[in-house]
Every structure is written in structure tokens, then in C-alpha cells.
Amino acid sequence: MEPFDLLRAILIVAAAYLIGGIPFGVIVAKVSGGPDPRTMGSGRTGGANTMRAIGPRLALLAGLLDMVKGTVAVLLARALGAGVEVEVLAGLAVIIGHSRSPFLGFGGGRGVAPAFGGLLAFQPLIALAILPVFIGVILITRYSSLGSLIGSAMAGILMVIATAVIPLDPWMYL
């Protein structure tokens, strides 16, 4: 890798980490006048705690914004022509930033929404395939963590199958 490319990759990954660190659950709670989600339940800023703090509608908004963080990080790397490897690293960095936000003393959520957003940008068909499973498990069991685990496992399995059959860049067909 050329020095310029390495520097660009480092800057993209650092930017993805900072994007991931934006605590939308806390921001939406503060703007709406609701309690800080970190003061409830698990003390994290993710979807379930945000829903406890400010209700389902505002939590959905915060979750969508968290999801967009993952999408933006991957698409930023793609737009800058950094390559698939850097796209993956940007996706991981946004999840780490969400989970270990530099703006919240390195606390945060669990990274489910930004992970889904990154997957949506990286492999949209797989993201759409796991979404009903994720939602279904949560509706049936009432455990968002179980939905996240099963959805993540299913995404991993489908990624292995998909990369054996189709290229990693599904957008090349559009």
C-alpha cells in the first residue's frame, strides 16, 4: 500500500470512529427533554435503553440515526475509493465508536444499529434478509439482545454463502 493510500485509509477509519461516537440516543433524549438513557436500565445509549428513557417513537429516530452512522462510514470509504478492505475497517470503526464513544467517556451502545447500517451499505440484500428475523425474534421473545445475536449469526452465515456465489460489491450490478 502506498504511503498516501495508507494515510487516507487511517483518516477514513478515524473519521468513521468519530462518526460512530456521535451519541444519538443521548442527543435525541436531550433535545426532546427526556431523561438521559444512561440513567436507566443497562446504562448504555443503545436502542433498548433509549426506548425506556424516551419511548418508542423517539427511540426509533435515535436508532435510525445510529443506523445511518454505519451506512455513512462505509459509503464514505467507498466514495473516496479506499477499497473493500477499508470499507470493512470503516464499518468496524463506526461500531467501536458507537460502543466506546469518545464523547461519552468511552461508553455507549452495543453497536447493533450502526452494524446494521454498515451491512446495509456493504451487502444490502443480506441486511434486508436478516431484518425480519431480527424483528421476529424480538417480537416473539421480547429480548432485543437475542434478536441481535441471531441476526448477527445469520448475517455471518449469509456473508460466507454470498461471497462464495456473488462478488462483495452488489452495487456493481446497478
Side-chain angles (χ1 to χ4, degrees):
M1 185 178 270
E2 296 293 319
F4 174 75
D5 291 336
L6 179 60
L7 178 61
R8 182 174 53 164
I10 290 168
L11 291 173
I12 290 167
V13 171
Y17 172 76
L18 293 174
I19 290 167
I22 301 169
F24 284 118
V26 174
I27 293 169
V28 170
K30 184 171 276 212
V31 169
S32 70
D36 187 326
R38 295 173 294 172
T39 64
M40 307 189 143
S42 68
R44 299 186 72 80
T45 62
N49 243 24
T50 301
M51 189 162 63
R52 285 183 198 103
I54 59 176
R57 285 186 181 172
L58 290 172
L60 179 62
L61 171 62
L64 288 172
L65 291 169
D66 283 342
M67 185 182 78
V68 168
K69 293 189 299 191
T71 304
V72 165
V74 172
L75 293 181
L76 173 68
R78 183 171 299 152
L80 294 174
V84 174
E85 298 85 0
V86 179
E87 288 179 29
V88 171
L89 291 174
L92 291 172
V94 79
I95 295 166
I96 294 167
H98 179 82
S99 301
R100 300 287 178 247
S101 173
F103 310 116
L104 297 176
F106 300 100
R110 287 193 167 51
V112 175
F116 182 77
L119 181 62
L120 193 58
F122 195 67
Q123 272 291 5
L125 299 176
I126 291 175
L128 295 175
I130 68 166
L131 188 58
V133 173
F134 169 73
I135 293 170
V137 170
I138 293 172
L139 291 175
I140 291 168
T141 66
R142 313 296 277 172
Y143 288 105
S144 59
S145 56
L146 184 59
S148 302
L149 289 170
I150 291 175
S152 297
M154 185 176 169
I157 292 166
L158 291 176
M159 283 293 287
V160 169
I161 293 168
T163 54
V165 178
I166 60 173
L168 283 177
D169 187 6
W171 299 106
M172 67 185 274
Y173 300 110
L174 299 178

